């Protein structure tokens, strides 16, 4: 089972 | 104030068409280096980053930072009023309520002028780390579009595996499974057809085909596309634009629980 990750988990808010 | 003249309205038309399915409202950040845009889709799965450098315009003038908050549906409506070959000039004051678009035909004396009301968009900017990707694949954009479309007919997700053997796009769906493998390839007649694979370590990642197929709307902007991958980080899909400008899409992977 795979889950779609959020881009926010990789790129931090500035 | 901003004044930016593009030789062909087509470039901006295509850029906006390429991102309008992912992003509804966004800021076009203008400064002396050019016009940039960064926006996430509503689900926060993908990120669009565009840069139109000042060199892509002639002339380009923007003496301070101006954020143009634009609804892309509105922009699309106005850009449809431009012929592809028209010269397009964007203009805005320093603290603008509207952005002004002028379309000029190079062949006739027609001059069209439109204003789009601007919005206040509180957009968060994400810091995109400089990444040394484990694998980069440069290939014809039409080929990537075709692979994406073909596999989307079978499945929601694609696995992209890059090894020294080549790059394999594969999917599994209800009706069965499919895969397309590409190897490095040099076409002596047409270098646009080349496939080049630059690999420092093997990569295997899974992505949503729906998003990839949205990114492929940018295929008309460039004959080539570059995919950059590292394990467990977002995929970068990049279309090069004139004057070192670019349209980049980042897509978060699907990862096993």
């Amino acid at each position: 089972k795979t889950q779609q990750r959020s881009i926010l988990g990789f790129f931090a808010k500035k | 104030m901003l004044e930016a003249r593009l030789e062909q309205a087509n470039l901006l038309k295509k850029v906006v068409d390429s991102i309008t399915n992912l992003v509804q409202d966004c800021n076009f950040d203008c400064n002396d280096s050019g016009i940039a845009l960064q926006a996430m889709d509503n689900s926060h799965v993908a990120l669009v980053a565009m840069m139109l450098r000042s060199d892509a315009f002639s002339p380009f003038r923007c003496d301070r930072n101006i954020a143009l908050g634009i609804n892309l549906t509105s922009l699309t409506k106005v850009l449809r009023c431009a012929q592809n070959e028209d010269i397009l000039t964007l203009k805005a004051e320093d603290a603008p309520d509207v952005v002004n678009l002028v379309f000029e035909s190079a062949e006739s004396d027609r001059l069209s002028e439109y204003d789009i009301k601007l919005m206040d968009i509180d957009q968060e900017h994400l810091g995109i780390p400089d990444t040394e990707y484990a694998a980069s694949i440069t290939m014809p954009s039409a080929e990537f579009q075709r692979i994406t479309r073909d596999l989307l007919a079978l499945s929601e997700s694609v696995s992209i595996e890059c090894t020294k053997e080549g790059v394999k796009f594969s999917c599994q769906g209800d009706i069965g499974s499919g895969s397309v493998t590409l190897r490095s390839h040099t076409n002596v007649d047409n270098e646009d057809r080349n496939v080049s694979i630059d690999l420092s370590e093997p990569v295997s990642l899974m992505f949503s085909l729906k998003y990839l197929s949205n990114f492929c709307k940018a295929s008309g902007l460039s004959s080539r596309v570059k995919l950059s991958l590292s394990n467990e980080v977002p995929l970068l899909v990049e279309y090069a634009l004139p004057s070192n400008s670019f349209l980049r899409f980042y897509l978060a992977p699907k990862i096993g629980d």
Side-chain angles (χ1 to χ4, degrees):
Chain A
K1 176 95 176 134
T2 57
Q3 247 190 5
Q4 176 64 64
R5 293 305 161 103
S6 162
I7 202 88
L8 292 168
F10 301 96
F11 300 158
K13 289 176 187 171
K14 270 186 186 171
Chain B
M1 65 171 283
L2 166 75
E3 184 167 345
R5 183 174 172 276
L6 260 186
E7 281 299 326
Q8 293 217 323
N10 208 13
L11 176 63
L12 188 62
K13 277 183 161 209
K14 284 182 177 172
V15 166
V16 173
D17 279 348
S18 312
I19 63 175
T20 197
N21 277 7
L22 288 166
V23 179
Q24 285 75 49
D25 302 321
C26 59
N27 282 324
F28 287 74
D29 296 311
C30 310
N31 61 34
D32 59 0
S33 61
I35 301 179
L37 174 159
Q38 194 203 82
M40 277 182 289
D41 77 301
N42 280 335
S43 309
H44 297 170
V45 169
L47 180 83
V48 182
M50 179 210 73
M51 179 69 203
L52 291 175
R53 295 193 196 281
S54 54
D55 291 350
F57 301 89
S58 126
F60 183 89
R61 196 183 137 204
C62 186
D63 23 36
R64 57 186 69 194
N65 292 346
I66 304 175
L68 304 174
I70 300 181
N71 171 272
L72 292 184
T73 307
S74 309
L75 182 57
T76 300
K77 284 180 187 171
V78 168
L79 288 173
R80 285 211 182 108
C81 306
Q83 304 287 304
N84 288 344
E85 313 303 321
D86 279 359
I87 298 162
L88 180 158
T89 306
L90 292 166
K91 289 185 211 170
E93 302 293 333
D94 280 345
D97 296 322
V98 296
V99 58
N100 175 253
L101 292 94
V102 178
F103 310 136
E104 293 170 84
S105 162
E107 289 158 14
S108 70
D109 286 336
R110 175 175 48 77
L111 186 143
S112 322
E113 198 166 349
Y114 296 86
D115 281 345
I116 301 176
K117 291 180 193 164
L118 297 176
M119 320 166 61
D120 269 331
I121 300 171
D122 189 16
Q123 210 161 37
E124 301 180 277
H125 271 74
L126 301 185
I128 302 170
D130 280 333
T131 305
E132 285 285 330
Y133 287 98
S136 305
I137 303 134
T138 309
M139 62 192 277
S141 55
E143 177 108 67
F144 180 55
Q145 184 171 35
R146 200 172 53 80
I147 292 168
T148 302
R149 188 192 58 212
D150 291 349
L151 299 186
L152 183 59
L154 272 74
S155 177
E156 287 179 1
S157 305
V158 60
S159 153
I160 305 179
E161 283 175 83
C162 203
T163 63
K164 61 183 185 353
E165 307 299 320
V167 55
K168 184 176 182 184
F169 301 85
S170 55
C171 73
Q172 293 192 316
D174 292 341
I175 64 162
S177 61
S179 73
V180 179
T181 305
L182 299 177
R183 290 170 210 284
S184 284
H185 169 81
T186 304
N187 187 301
V188 286
D189 299 323
N190 185 351
E191 63 181 32
D192 271 358
R193 299 229 176 116
N194 289 359
V195 174
S196 83
I197 300 173
D198 188 7
L199 183 81
S200 61
E201 58 176 294
V203 179
S204 175
L205 282 160
M206 190 171 282
F207 299 101
S208 156
L209 280 162
K210 184 185 75 177
Y211 280 92
L212 292 179
S213 120
N214 267 326
F215 302 167
C216 287
K217 294 191 191 302
S219 301
L221 279 164
S222 172
S223 60
R224 313 278 293 158
V225 63
K226 183 177 182 187
L227 313 180
S228 301
L229 304 106
S230 284
N231 285 318
E232 310 214 356
V233 305
L235 165 72
L236 166 58
V237 178
E238 177 168 6
Y239 296 88
L241 304 180
S243 307
N244 219 13
S245 300
F246 59 78
L247 180 59
R248 292 176 183 158
F249 299 95
Y250 295 87
L251 179 60
K254 294 184 166 191
I255 295 178
D257 292 332

